mmCIF file of all heavy atoms in Angstrom:
data_model
loop_
_atom_site.group_PDB
_atom_site.id
_atom_site.type_symbol
_atom_site.label_atom_id
_atom_site.label_comp_id
_atom_site.label_asym_id
_atom_site.label_seq_id
_atom_site.Cartn_x
_atom_site.Cartn_y
_atom_site.Cartn_z
ATOM 1 N N GLU Q 11 169.790 69.258 156.695
ATOM 2 C CA GLU Q 11 168.574 69.935 156.267
ATOM 3 C C GLU Q 11 168.875 70.935 155.153
ATOM 4 O O GLU Q 11 168.125 71.057 154.181
ATOM 5 C CB GLU Q 11 167.912 70.646 157.439
ATOM 6 C CG GLU Q 11 166.601 71.354 157.089
ATOM 7 C CD GLU Q 11 165.540 70.413 156.543
ATOM 8 O OE1 GLU Q 11 165.597 69.190 156.831
ATOM 9 O OE2 GLU Q 11 164.645 70.885 155.811
ATOM 10 N N MET Q 12 170.000 71.644 155.293
ATOM 11 C CA MET Q 12 170.407 72.559 154.231
ATOM 12 C C MET Q 12 170.633 71.796 152.924
ATOM 13 O O MET Q 12 170.170 72.197 151.852
ATOM 14 C CB MET Q 12 171.694 73.291 154.641
ATOM 15 C CG MET Q 12 172.252 74.265 153.610
ATOM 16 S SD MET Q 12 173.260 73.511 152.275
ATOM 17 C CE MET Q 12 174.513 72.654 153.229
ATOM 18 N N SER Q 13 171.333 70.668 153.030
ATOM 19 C CA SER Q 13 171.624 69.873 151.842
ATOM 20 C C SER Q 13 170.356 69.295 151.236
ATOM 21 O O SER Q 13 170.223 69.218 150.004
ATOM 22 C CB SER Q 13 172.595 68.749 152.199
ATOM 23 O OG SER Q 13 172.958 68.007 151.060
ATOM 24 N N ASN Q 14 169.426 68.900 152.080
ATOM 25 C CA ASN Q 14 168.148 68.380 151.595
ATOM 26 C C ASN Q 14 167.429 69.419 150.741
ATOM 27 O O ASN Q 14 166.860 69.106 149.686
ATOM 28 C CB ASN Q 14 167.276 67.971 152.783
ATOM 29 C CG ASN Q 14 166.024 67.240 152.372
ATOM 30 O OD1 ASN Q 14 166.057 66.352 151.525
ATOM 31 N ND2 ASN Q 14 164.899 67.618 152.962
ATOM 32 N N ILE Q 15 167.478 70.675 151.175
ATOM 33 C CA ILE Q 15 166.821 71.755 150.443
ATOM 34 C C ILE Q 15 167.522 72.038 149.123
ATOM 35 O O ILE Q 15 166.887 72.153 148.071
ATOM 36 C CB ILE Q 15 166.765 73.024 151.312
ATOM 37 C CG1 ILE Q 15 165.734 72.851 152.440
ATOM 38 C CG2 ILE Q 15 166.423 74.255 150.473
ATOM 39 C CD1 ILE Q 15 165.739 73.963 153.451
ATOM 40 N N THR Q 16 168.844 72.164 149.154
ATOM 41 C CA THR Q 16 169.567 72.529 147.937
ATOM 42 C C THR Q 16 169.529 71.419 146.889
ATOM 43 O O THR Q 16 169.282 71.679 145.707
ATOM 44 C CB THR Q 16 171.022 72.910 148.247
ATOM 45 O OG1 THR Q 16 171.661 71.854 148.976
ATOM 46 C CG2 THR Q 16 171.089 74.183 149.069
ATOM 47 N N THR Q 17 169.755 70.183 147.313
ATOM 48 C CA THR Q 17 169.730 69.089 146.338
ATOM 49 C C THR Q 17 168.320 68.902 145.778
ATOM 50 O O THR Q 17 168.153 68.673 144.572
ATOM 51 C CB THR Q 17 170.240 67.775 146.949
ATOM 52 O OG1 THR Q 17 169.521 67.478 148.154
ATOM 53 C CG2 THR Q 17 171.715 67.851 147.268
ATOM 54 N N ALA Q 18 167.310 69.000 146.645
ATOM 55 C CA ALA Q 18 165.928 68.862 146.175
ATOM 56 C C ALA Q 18 165.588 69.945 145.165
ATOM 57 O O ALA Q 18 164.857 69.696 144.198
ATOM 58 C CB ALA Q 18 164.958 68.908 147.351
ATOM 59 N N ALA Q 19 166.103 71.144 145.362
ATOM 60 C CA ALA Q 19 165.826 72.244 144.429
ATOM 61 C C ALA Q 19 166.354 71.922 143.038
ATOM 62 O O ALA Q 19 165.674 72.169 142.032
ATOM 63 C CB ALA Q 19 166.448 73.537 144.947
ATOM 64 N N TYR Q 20 167.546 71.371 142.964
ATOM 65 C CA TYR Q 20 168.104 71.012 141.656
ATOM 66 C C TYR Q 20 167.346 69.846 141.032
ATOM 67 O O TYR Q 20 167.048 69.856 139.831
ATOM 68 C CB TYR Q 20 169.589 70.680 141.789
ATOM 69 C CG TYR Q 20 170.445 71.904 142.008
ATOM 70 C CD1 TYR Q 20 171.055 72.158 143.224
ATOM 71 C CD2 TYR Q 20 170.634 72.840 140.982
ATOM 72 C CE1 TYR Q 20 171.825 73.286 143.431
ATOM 73 C CE2 TYR Q 20 171.397 73.979 141.179
ATOM 74 C CZ TYR Q 20 171.989 74.197 142.408
ATOM 75 O OH TYR Q 20 172.735 75.335 142.601
ATOM 76 N N VAL Q 21 167.037 68.852 141.827
ATOM 77 C CA VAL Q 21 166.302 67.694 141.303
ATOM 78 C C VAL Q 21 164.917 68.122 140.830
ATOM 79 O O VAL Q 21 164.441 67.695 139.767
ATOM 80 C CB VAL Q 21 166.195 66.583 142.360
ATOM 81 C CG1 VAL Q 21 165.275 65.463 141.886
ATOM 82 C CG2 VAL Q 21 167.576 66.016 142.675
ATOM 83 N N ASN Q 22 164.254 68.986 141.587
ATOM 84 C CA ASN Q 22 162.921 69.452 141.195
ATOM 85 C C ASN Q 22 162.967 70.271 139.913
ATOM 86 O O ASN Q 22 162.016 70.249 139.112
ATOM 87 C CB ASN Q 22 162.297 70.274 142.323
ATOM 88 C CG ASN Q 22 161.881 69.417 143.502
ATOM 89 O OD1 ASN Q 22 161.703 68.205 143.370
ATOM 90 N ND2 ASN Q 22 161.736 70.023 144.665
ATOM 91 N N SER Q 23 164.054 71.004 139.701
ATOM 92 C CA SER Q 23 164.173 71.769 138.459
ATOM 93 C C SER Q 23 164.330 70.837 137.262
ATOM 94 O O SER Q 23 163.798 71.107 136.181
ATOM 95 C CB SER Q 23 165.340 72.757 138.538
ATOM 96 O OG SER Q 23 166.593 72.106 138.553
ATOM 97 N N ILE Q 24 165.036 69.723 137.447
ATOM 98 C CA ILE Q 24 165.143 68.721 136.382
ATOM 99 C C ILE Q 24 163.769 68.125 136.097
ATOM 100 O O ILE Q 24 163.348 68.001 134.935
ATOM 101 C CB ILE Q 24 166.129 67.612 136.775
ATOM 102 C CG1 ILE Q 24 167.554 68.171 136.884
ATOM 103 C CG2 ILE Q 24 166.091 66.467 135.763
ATOM 104 C CD1 ILE Q 24 168.562 67.177 137.435
ATOM 105 N N ALA Q 25 163.054 67.762 137.156
ATOM 106 C CA ALA Q 25 161.732 67.153 136.991
ATOM 107 C C ALA Q 25 160.769 68.109 136.296
ATOM 108 O O ALA Q 25 159.986 67.708 135.428
ATOM 109 C CB ALA Q 25 161.182 66.727 138.351
ATOM 110 N N ALA Q 26 160.816 69.387 136.664
ATOM 111 C CA ALA Q 26 159.903 70.368 136.077
ATOM 112 C C ALA Q 26 160.179 70.584 134.596
ATOM 113 O O ALA Q 26 159.252 70.736 133.789
ATOM 114 C CB ALA Q 26 160.004 71.690 136.830
ATOM 115 N N MET Q 27 161.454 70.585 134.216
ATOM 116 C CA MET Q 27 161.804 70.843 132.826
ATOM 117 C C MET Q 27 161.607 69.624 131.928
ATOM 118 O O MET Q 27 161.471 69.766 130.714
ATOM 119 C CB MET Q 27 163.259 71.318 132.733
ATOM 120 C CG MET Q 27 163.488 72.718 133.269
ATOM 121 S SD MET Q 27 165.194 73.300 133.015
ATOM 122 C CE MET Q 27 165.234 73.471 131.230
ATOM 123 N N THR Q 28 161.586 68.440 132.529
ATOM 124 C CA THR Q 28 161.519 67.215 131.723
ATOM 125 C C THR Q 28 160.209 66.457 131.873
ATOM 126 O O THR Q 28 159.935 65.550 131.088
ATOM 127 C CB THR Q 28 162.655 66.262 132.122
ATOM 128 O OG1 THR Q 28 162.520 65.915 133.521
ATOM 129 C CG2 THR Q 28 164.011 66.895 131.884
ATOM 130 N N GLN Q 29 159.420 66.807 132.920
ATOM 131 C CA GLN Q 29 158.211 66.065 133.251
ATOM 132 C C GLN Q 29 158.533 64.608 133.622
ATOM 133 O O GLN Q 29 157.692 63.718 133.469
ATOM 134 C CB GLN Q 29 157.203 66.104 132.093
ATOM 135 C CG GLN Q 29 156.752 67.502 131.723
ATOM 136 C CD GLN Q 29 156.115 68.245 132.904
ATOM 137 O OE1 GLN Q 29 155.153 67.779 133.499
ATOM 138 N NE2 GLN Q 29 156.671 69.400 133.242
ATOM 139 N N LEU Q 30 159.739 64.380 134.100
ATOM 140 C CA LEU Q 30 160.124 63.057 134.592
ATOM 141 C C LEU Q 30 159.728 62.929 136.053
ATOM 142 O O LEU Q 30 159.739 63.910 136.813
ATOM 143 C CB LEU Q 30 161.631 62.849 134.462
ATOM 144 C CG LEU Q 30 162.196 62.710 133.047
ATOM 145 C CD1 LEU Q 30 163.720 62.803 133.080
ATOM 146 C CD2 LEU Q 30 161.758 61.391 132.416
ATOM 147 N N PHE Q 31 159.380 61.701 136.459
ATOM 148 C CA PHE Q 31 159.139 61.443 137.875
ATOM 149 C C PHE Q 31 160.471 61.087 138.519
ATOM 150 O O PHE Q 31 161.138 60.129 138.120
ATOM 151 C CB PHE Q 31 158.157 60.283 138.067
ATOM 152 C CG PHE Q 31 158.062 59.827 139.505
ATOM 153 C CD1 PHE Q 31 157.396 60.594 140.446
ATOM 154 C CD2 PHE Q 31 158.668 58.640 139.915
ATOM 155 C CE1 PHE Q 31 157.331 60.202 141.771
ATOM 156 C CE2 PHE Q 31 158.607 58.234 141.244
ATOM 157 C CZ PHE Q 31 157.929 59.018 142.173
ATOM 158 N N ILE Q 32 160.871 61.903 139.491
ATOM 159 C CA ILE Q 32 162.133 61.663 140.198
ATOM 160 C C ILE Q 32 161.859 61.715 141.694
ATOM 161 O O ILE Q 32 161.368 62.724 142.209
ATOM 162 C CB ILE Q 32 163.202 62.703 139.840
ATOM 163 C CG1 ILE Q 32 163.347 62.839 138.323
ATOM 164 C CG2 ILE Q 32 164.539 62.318 140.470
ATOM 165 C CD1 ILE Q 32 164.266 63.972 137.894
ATOM 166 N N ASN Q 33 162.158 60.635 142.372
ATOM 167 C CA ASN Q 33 161.985 60.573 143.821
ATOM 168 C C ASN Q 33 163.361 60.657 144.477
ATOM 169 O O ASN Q 33 164.337 60.108 143.976
ATOM 170 C CB ASN Q 33 161.302 59.258 144.219
ATOM 171 C CG ASN Q 33 160.994 59.219 145.711
ATOM 172 O OD1 ASN Q 33 160.392 60.131 146.257
ATOM 173 N ND2 ASN Q 33 161.432 58.160 146.380
ATOM 174 N N ILE Q 34 163.428 61.395 145.589
ATOM 175 C CA ILE Q 34 164.687 61.469 146.321
ATOM 176 C C ILE Q 34 164.442 61.078 147.775
ATOM 177 O O ILE Q 34 163.359 61.285 148.320
ATOM 178 C CB ILE Q 34 165.320 62.877 146.259
ATOM 179 C CG1 ILE Q 34 164.377 63.940 146.834
ATOM 180 C CG2 ILE Q 34 165.715 63.224 144.838
ATOM 181 C CD1 ILE Q 34 165.025 65.311 146.925
ATOM 182 N N ASN Q 35 165.472 60.504 148.374
ATOM 183 C CA ASN Q 35 165.428 60.121 149.768
ATOM 184 C C ASN Q 35 166.143 61.176 150.610
ATOM 185 O O ASN Q 35 166.944 61.959 150.079
ATOM 186 C CB ASN Q 35 166.110 58.760 149.961
ATOM 187 C CG ASN Q 35 165.393 57.655 149.208
ATOM 188 O OD1 ASN Q 35 164.181 57.549 149.266
ATOM 189 N ND2 ASN Q 35 166.142 56.833 148.486
ATOM 190 N N PRO Q 36 165.882 61.213 151.925
ATOM 191 C CA PRO Q 36 166.629 62.149 152.782
ATOM 192 C C PRO Q 36 168.130 61.899 152.660
ATOM 193 O O PRO Q 36 168.566 60.770 152.417
ATOM 194 C CB PRO Q 36 166.118 61.815 154.188
ATOM 195 C CG PRO Q 36 164.773 61.215 153.975
ATOM 196 C CD PRO Q 36 164.872 60.451 152.687
ATOM 197 N N PRO Q 37 168.946 62.949 152.821
ATOM 198 C CA PRO Q 37 170.387 62.798 152.636
ATOM 199 C C PRO Q 37 171.011 61.842 153.652
ATOM 200 O O PRO Q 37 170.606 61.787 154.813
ATOM 201 C CB PRO Q 37 170.920 64.220 152.844
ATOM 202 C CG PRO Q 37 169.755 65.114 152.677
ATOM 203 C CD PRO Q 37 168.565 64.334 153.134
ATOM 204 N N ASP Q 38 172.006 61.102 153.185
ATOM 205 C CA ASP Q 38 172.901 60.361 154.073
ATOM 206 C C ASP Q 38 174.128 61.226 154.293
ATOM 207 O O ASP Q 38 174.605 61.897 153.371
ATOM 208 C CB ASP Q 38 173.317 59.030 153.442
ATOM 209 C CG ASP Q 38 172.155 58.053 153.334
ATOM 210 O OD1 ASP Q 38 171.346 57.995 154.280
ATOM 211 O OD2 ASP Q 38 172.054 57.360 152.305
ATOM 212 N N SER Q 39 174.665 61.226 155.507
ATOM 213 C CA SER Q 39 175.794 62.097 155.830
ATOM 214 C C SER Q 39 177.040 61.283 156.138
ATOM 215 O O SER Q 39 176.971 60.191 156.708
ATOM 216 C CB SER Q 39 175.451 63.015 157.005
ATOM 217 O OG SER Q 39 175.091 62.265 158.142
ATOM 218 N N TYR Q 40 178.178 61.849 155.746
ATOM 219 C CA TYR Q 40 179.467 61.208 155.963
ATOM 220 C C TYR Q 40 180.480 62.275 156.353
ATOM 221 O O TYR Q 40 180.373 63.430 155.935
ATOM 222 C CB TYR Q 40 179.964 60.511 154.690
ATOM 223 C CG TYR Q 40 178.974 59.548 154.078
ATOM 224 C CD1 TYR Q 40 177.988 60.011 153.191
ATOM 225 C CD2 TYR Q 40 179.014 58.192 154.363
ATOM 226 C CE1 TYR Q 40 177.077 59.137 152.616
ATOM 227 C CE2 TYR Q 40 178.097 57.312 153.793
ATOM 228 C CZ TYR Q 40 177.140 57.788 152.923
ATOM 229 O OH TYR Q 40 176.237 56.916 152.349
ATOM 230 N N CYS Q 41 181.465 61.896 157.126
ATOM 231 C CA CYS Q 41 182.601 62.768 157.424
ATOM 232 C C CYS Q 41 183.856 62.000 157.043
ATOM 233 O O CYS Q 41 184.162 60.968 157.642
ATOM 234 C CB CYS Q 41 182.622 63.171 158.904
ATOM 235 S SG CYS Q 41 183.972 64.315 159.318
ATOM 236 N N ASP Q 42 184.564 62.498 156.026
ATOM 237 C CA ASP Q 42 185.711 61.755 155.508
ATOM 238 C C ASP Q 42 186.535 62.689 154.640
ATOM 239 O O ASP Q 42 186.192 63.865 154.467
ATOM 240 C CB ASP Q 42 185.217 60.548 154.703
ATOM 241 C CG ASP Q 42 186.201 59.368 154.754
ATOM 242 O OD1 ASP Q 42 187.420 59.629 154.843
ATOM 243 O OD2 ASP Q 42 185.743 58.218 154.704
ATOM 244 N N THR Q 43 187.602 62.165 154.063
ATOM 245 C CA THR Q 43 188.360 62.952 153.104
ATOM 246 C C THR Q 43 187.547 63.089 151.820
ATOM 247 O O THR Q 43 186.701 62.244 151.509
ATOM 248 C CB THR Q 43 189.705 62.288 152.786
ATOM 249 O OG1 THR Q 43 189.468 61.000 152.205
ATOM 250 C CG2 THR Q 43 190.557 62.156 154.036
ATOM 251 N N VAL Q 44 187.818 64.147 151.076
ATOM 252 C CA VAL Q 44 187.086 64.375 149.837
ATOM 253 C C VAL Q 44 187.272 63.205 148.874
ATOM 254 O O VAL Q 44 186.334 62.781 148.206
ATOM 255 C CB VAL Q 44 187.534 65.700 149.185
ATOM 256 C CG1 VAL Q 44 186.951 65.851 147.786
ATOM 257 C CG2 VAL Q 44 187.121 66.885 150.051
ATOM 258 N N SER Q 45 188.481 62.653 148.825
ATOM 259 C CA SER Q 45 188.732 61.543 147.905
ATOM 260 C C SER Q 45 187.848 60.347 148.222
ATOM 261 O O SER Q 45 187.375 59.653 147.311
ATOM 262 C CB SER Q 45 190.203 61.129 147.935
ATOM 263 O OG SER Q 45 190.585 60.688 149.222
ATOM 264 N N ASN Q 46 187.592 60.093 149.506
ATOM 265 C CA ASN Q 46 186.707 58.991 149.881
ATOM 266 C C ASN Q 46 185.241 59.343 149.643
ATOM 267 O O ASN Q 46 184.442 58.480 149.248
ATOM 268 C CB ASN Q 46 186.921 58.605 151.343
ATOM 269 C CG ASN Q 46 188.221 57.873 151.570
ATOM 270 O OD1 ASN Q 46 188.770 57.264 150.655
ATOM 271 N ND2 ASN Q 46 188.735 57.932 152.791
ATOM 272 N N LEU Q 47 184.884 60.597 149.863
ATOM 273 C CA LEU Q 47 183.493 61.005 149.658
ATOM 274 C C LEU Q 47 183.072 60.856 148.199
ATOM 275 O O LEU Q 47 181.959 60.417 147.915
ATOM 276 C CB LEU Q 47 183.295 62.457 150.104
ATOM 277 C CG LEU Q 47 183.422 62.741 151.613
ATOM 278 C CD1 LEU Q 47 183.352 64.242 151.874
ATOM 279 C CD2 LEU Q 47 182.355 62.011 152.408
ATOM 280 N N VAL Q 48 183.958 61.209 147.274
ATOM 281 C CA VAL Q 48 183.561 61.190 145.867
ATOM 282 C C VAL Q 48 183.455 59.761 145.313
ATOM 283 O O VAL Q 48 182.898 59.564 144.226
ATOM 284 C CB VAL Q 48 184.515 62.030 144.987
ATOM 285 C CG1 VAL Q 48 184.514 63.479 145.427
ATOM 286 C CG2 VAL Q 48 185.923 61.457 144.981
ATOM 287 N N THR Q 49 183.969 58.790 146.063
ATOM 288 C CA THR Q 49 183.807 57.409 145.604
ATOM 289 C C THR Q 49 182.387 56.889 145.840
ATOM 290 O O THR Q 49 181.979 55.913 145.204
ATOM 291 C CB THR Q 49 184.792 56.462 146.314
ATOM 292 O OG1 THR Q 49 184.487 56.400 147.715
ATOM 293 C CG2 THR Q 49 186.235 56.921 146.123
ATOM 294 N N ILE Q 50 181.646 57.536 146.729
ATOM 295 C CA ILE Q 50 180.327 57.019 147.113
ATOM 296 C C ILE Q 50 179.360 56.970 145.925
ATOM 297 O O ILE Q 50 178.775 55.916 145.649
ATOM 298 C CB ILE Q 50 179.751 57.836 148.289
ATOM 299 C CG1 ILE Q 50 180.654 57.699 149.525
ATOM 300 C CG2 ILE Q 50 178.334 57.360 148.628
ATOM 301 C CD1 ILE Q 50 180.321 58.653 150.647
ATOM 302 N N PRO Q 51 179.154 58.088 145.188
ATOM 303 C CA PRO Q 51 178.247 57.992 144.037
ATOM 304 C C PRO Q 51 178.742 57.006 142.979
ATOM 305 O O PRO Q 51 177.933 56.309 142.353
ATOM 306 C CB PRO Q 51 178.223 59.426 143.485
ATOM 307 C CG PRO Q 51 178.619 60.282 144.639
ATOM 308 C CD PRO Q 51 179.620 59.466 145.383
ATOM 309 N N ALA Q 52 180.041 56.957 142.759
ATOM 310 C CA ALA Q 52 180.589 56.045 141.748
ATOM 311 C C ALA Q 52 180.285 54.601 142.101
ATOM 312 O O ALA Q 52 179.907 53.794 141.237
ATOM 313 C CB ALA Q 52 182.102 56.250 141.614
ATOM 314 N N GLU Q 53 180.427 54.261 143.376
ATOM 315 C CA GLU Q 53 180.153 52.892 143.801
ATOM 316 C C GLU Q 53 178.660 52.584 143.747
ATOM 317 O O GLU Q 53 178.259 51.471 143.387
ATOM 318 C CB GLU Q 53 180.694 52.679 145.210
ATOM 319 C CG GLU Q 53 182.225 52.699 145.262
ATOM 320 C CD GLU Q 53 182.762 52.657 146.683
ATOM 321 O OE1 GLU Q 53 181.938 52.752 147.634
ATOM 322 O OE2 GLU Q 53 183.996 52.559 146.847
ATOM 323 N N LYS Q 54 177.828 53.568 144.086
ATOM 324 C CA LYS Q 54 176.379 53.353 144.033
ATOM 325 C C LYS Q 54 175.914 53.045 142.610
ATOM 326 O O LYS Q 54 174.993 52.242 142.401
ATOM 327 C CB LYS Q 54 175.636 54.605 144.529
ATOM 328 C CG LYS Q 54 175.656 54.836 146.036
ATOM 329 C CD LYS Q 54 174.978 56.156 146.359
ATOM 330 C CE LYS Q 54 174.925 56.450 147.847
ATOM 331 N NZ LYS Q 54 173.902 55.654 148.548
ATOM 332 N N LEU Q 55 176.555 53.689 141.618
ATOM 333 C CA LEU Q 55 176.076 53.616 140.238
ATOM 334 C C LEU Q 55 177.020 52.845 139.322
ATOM 335 O O LEU Q 55 176.783 52.778 138.112
ATOM 336 C CB LEU Q 55 175.885 55.027 139.687
ATOM 337 C CG LEU Q 55 174.877 55.889 140.445
ATOM 338 C CD1 LEU Q 55 174.963 57.337 139.996
ATOM 339 C CD2 LEU Q 55 173.461 55.363 140.247
ATOM 340 N N SER Q 56 178.081 52.286 139.902
ATOM 341 C CA SER Q 56 179.069 51.543 139.113
ATOM 342 C C SER Q 56 179.598 52.386 137.961
ATOM 343 O O SER Q 56 179.719 51.929 136.825
ATOM 344 C CB SER Q 56 178.453 50.238 138.574
ATOM 345 O OG SER Q 56 178.021 49.420 139.631
ATOM 346 N N ARG Q 57 179.922 53.634 138.248
ATOM 347 C CA ARG Q 57 180.435 54.543 137.226
ATOM 348 C C ARG Q 57 181.945 54.453 137.130
ATOM 349 O O ARG Q 57 182.647 54.326 138.129
ATOM 350 C CB ARG Q 57 180.034 55.985 137.547
ATOM 351 C CG ARG Q 57 178.576 56.311 137.299
ATOM 352 C CD ARG Q 57 178.202 56.308 135.840
ATOM 353 N NE ARG Q 57 178.973 57.284 135.087
ATOM 354 C CZ ARG Q 57 178.617 58.553 134.944
ATOM 355 N NH1 ARG Q 57 177.505 59.015 135.475
ATOM 356 N NH2 ARG Q 57 179.374 59.379 134.249
#
């Protein structure tokens, strides 16, 4: 819930400054090493 609030605040600030429509989903949670956690966004976006 804390993460939902903080991430939404940043996303909403982007939307407000750009007038872009940005939808976000509730957070998914993981417990792992940091090295494994940071692979998640890269794999989602093929970065």
Side-chain angles (χ1 to χ4, degrees):
E11 182 59 24
M12 179 278 304
S13 183
N14 188 45
I15 288 172
T16 54
T17 53
Y20 287 109
V21 172
N22 288 340
S23 69
I24 294 173
M27 289 185 68
T28 60
Q29 300 302 303
L30 291 168
F31 170 74
I32 309 173
N33 185 52
I34 59 174
N35 297 314
D38 292 320
S39 58
Y40 307 86
C41 183
D42 210 328
T43 61
V44 171
S45 61
N46 287 336
L47 292 174
V48 299
T49 65
I50 298 169
E53 291 173 353
K54 285 176 179 284
L55 300 169
S56 300
R57 286 292 300 273

